[in-house]
Amino acid sequence: MRKVNLAVVGATGMVGRTFLKVLEERNLPIDNFYVMASARSAGSKLTFMGKEYTVEELTEHSFDKPIDIALFSAGGSTSAKFAPIAAEHGCIVVDNSAQWRQDPKVPLVVPEVNPEDIKWNSGIIANPNCSTIQAMVVLKPLDDKYKIKRVVYSTYQAVSGAGVSGWKDLENGLKGEAPKKFPHPIANNCLPHIDVFMDNGYTKEEMKMIWETRKILHHPDMRVTATTVRVPVFNSHSESINVEFENPVDINEVKELLSKAPGVVVKDNPANNEYPLAIEAAGKDEVFVGRIRRDESVENGINIWVVADNIRKGAATNAVQIAELIVNSLN
Ligand code: A2P
């Protein structure tokens, strides 16, 4: 495998630091390595593969040097400005923000689901929303087998998804302090409000799940709805997913299909109180699924409970897997 020059943009953030951890674990062949963030943390040090790197301020000139791949997780406005600059310099950007996900020229990729889509990139590949990624890994094999007619998502999302400031709101909120990031206390509370509200009454997080599901599964007209909720959990998103299919569905076959699906672990033994849990998924790369049962209110429907580490598979690991696909395509 050819060695690549790789940059992490937003390296000091929650996802950025996990990029470094996952890159170390997965041993991507790296030649020159760069860590970039805002002027606020320029000059600070980060350790990668036992070596210390100085954080550079991200500027228009950051990509003047040869960089093959840049993993971005520094917010939408940073991606809007700097991803095109990187791409113009021949770098392939894997962008974790929502900025480019709906752009028809930008592939939106979950490596277990639609790896072939990286081929038509023109310098930017979007990493999907954390809640979407974990759902896709589970829904893809079911769509292939039974053809999805409708999906209803209800999410229980961890504060780590809101970055360092979200994490601090829960930590400080548990000590009685007022929130700074969220509009209401998150400690001992559930907020049916993630990202901004849109004209149709949905939040943008909900619309992201809807748009992204259609794009990744290549079903532009799929009926999808979502309610996304922030809960007082530090890490790992949980999701209740109700799915209706075109074709008859057999629950034992669903369990069998999911147990063979790449990146999925079935944990479904209610008799022993075994089902996916946020505290057990944290730190892992797999997507855990359980509570697999028929939706008895419709002809061909199921309910499932899906849990994954939103910072790892929901962000950093998925992006590094995309980087691996890019490296393989360069050889
Ligand atoms: P910095 O630490 O310098 O603020 P999180 O979402 O976990 O809070 O992380 C956000 C990441 O994005 C951080 O690494 C942050 O760097 C980086 N970032 C935010 N704004 C910019 C910007 N304008 N240019 C480059 N990096 C940015």
Side-chain angles (χ1 to χ4, degrees):
M1 215 186 259
R2 145 149 129 67
K3 281 192 169 185
V4 289
N5 295 337
L6 189 136
V8 172
V9 176
T12 51
M14 188 79 81
V15 174
R17 287 173 188 273
T18 311
F19 278 148
L20 269 60
K21 211 188 294 173
V22 175
L23 283 166
E24 283 181 335
E25 290 167 9
R26 295 181 75 102
N27 237 336
L28 200 79
I30 295 172
D31 194 1
N32 294 305
F33 184 67
Y34 305 97
V35 282
M36 302 176 188
S38 78
R40 285 182 294 274
S41 47
S44 62
K45 310 276 183 198
L46 289 173
T47 304
F48 178 67
M49 301 292 267
K51 235 178 105 182
E52 216 171 55
Y53 289 84
T54 304
V55 176
E56 297 173 30
E57 180 186 354
L58 176 69
T59 70
E60 279 91 344
H61 297 292
S62 295
F63 298 92
D64 292 351
K65 48 190 174 282
I67 299 178
D68 301 291
I69 301 173
L71 306 180
F72 271 59
S73 191
S77 54
T78 305
S79 292
K81 179 167 176 196
F82 292 98
I85 296 176
E88 274 162 30
H89 284 77
C91 172
I92 301 181
V93 172
V94 182
D95 181 38
N96 193 49
S97 82
Q99 182 63 35
W100 301 99
R101 292 182 191 149
Q102 294 316 309
D103 188 317
K105 292 186 295 304
V106 174
L108 183 65
V109 175
V110 179
E112 292 87 346
V113 176
N114 59 335
E116 68 284 357
D117 282 338
I118 75 146
K119 288 190 203 123
W120 53 269
N121 84 80
S122 41
I124 303 175
I125 299 171
N127 206 37
N129 173 265
C130 43
S131 307
T132 315
I133 291 176
Q134 68 185 70
M136 291 301 91
V137 176
V138 170
L139 293 187
K140 168 69 174 166
L142 303 180
D143 185 43
D144 286 347
K145 181 77 185 179
Y146 307 111
K147 195 162 188 334
I148 293 174
K149 192 167 159 187
R150 179 169 183 253
V151 180
V152 182
Y153 292 121
S154 308
T155 71
Y156 304 73
Q157 297 184 218
V159 293
S160 59
V164 174
S165 49
W167 186 288
K168 284 196 176 145
D169 259 17
L170 177 54
E171 213 166 52
N172 296 335
L174 290 169
K175 296 183 229 152
E177 288 176 30
K180 291 194 177 125
K181 168 80 175 172
F182 301 120
H184 303 283
I186 184 64
N188 299 314
N189 212 358
C190 296
L191 307 180
H193 175 185
I194 302 181
D195 209 330
V196 295
F197 279 101
M198 320 241 343
D199 289 343
N200 64 357
Y202 281 69
T203 61
K204 192 153 178 216
E205 184 80 355
E206 290 159 353
M207 292 313 298
K208 283 182 225 165
M209 289 195 81
I210 295 167
W211 292 326
E212 294 177 21
T213 296
R214 292 175 178 152
K215 181 165 176 176
I216 296 164
L217 294 179
H218 303 143
H219 281 306
D221 303 318
M222 186 185 280
R223 286 198 280 158
V224 187
T225 190
T227 302
T228 59
V229 181
R230 188 76 70 193
V231 296
V233 166
F234 280 106
N235 199 33
S236 293
H237 291 350
S238 304
E239 299 177 354
S240 158
I241 311 182
N242 175 266
V243 199
E244 210 183 328
F245 301 100
E246 299 283 356
N247 298 311
V249 61
D250 175 85
I251 264 319
N252 287 325
E253 195 181 47
V254 167
K255 290 182 185 172
E256 177 80 15
L257 278 173
L258 291 177
S259 65
K260 288 186 188 142
V264 175
V265 174
V266 174
K267 194 159 199 256
D268 197 15
N269 189 359
N272 280 348
N273 299 338
E274 283 172 18
Y275 28 75
L277 294 173
I279 51 173
E280 287 173 4
K284 310 231 170 68
D285 286 324
E286 295 89 354
V287 176
F288 296 84
V289 57
R291 301 294 325 279
I292 302 168
R293 64 207 190 278
R294 184 171 279 287
D295 173 356
E296 294 180 337
S297 70
V298 293
E299 205 176 340
N300 302 319
I302 62 167
N303 286 307
I304 52 178
W305 178 249
V306 176
V307 182
D309 184 323
N310 53 298
I311 300 295
R312 289 186 66 100
K313 181 55 186 165
T317 303
N318 199 74
V320 173
Q321 287 175 298
I322 294 174
E324 288 169 351
L325 292 174
I326 299 168
V327 173
N328 285 329
S329 75
L330 295 176
N331 289 320

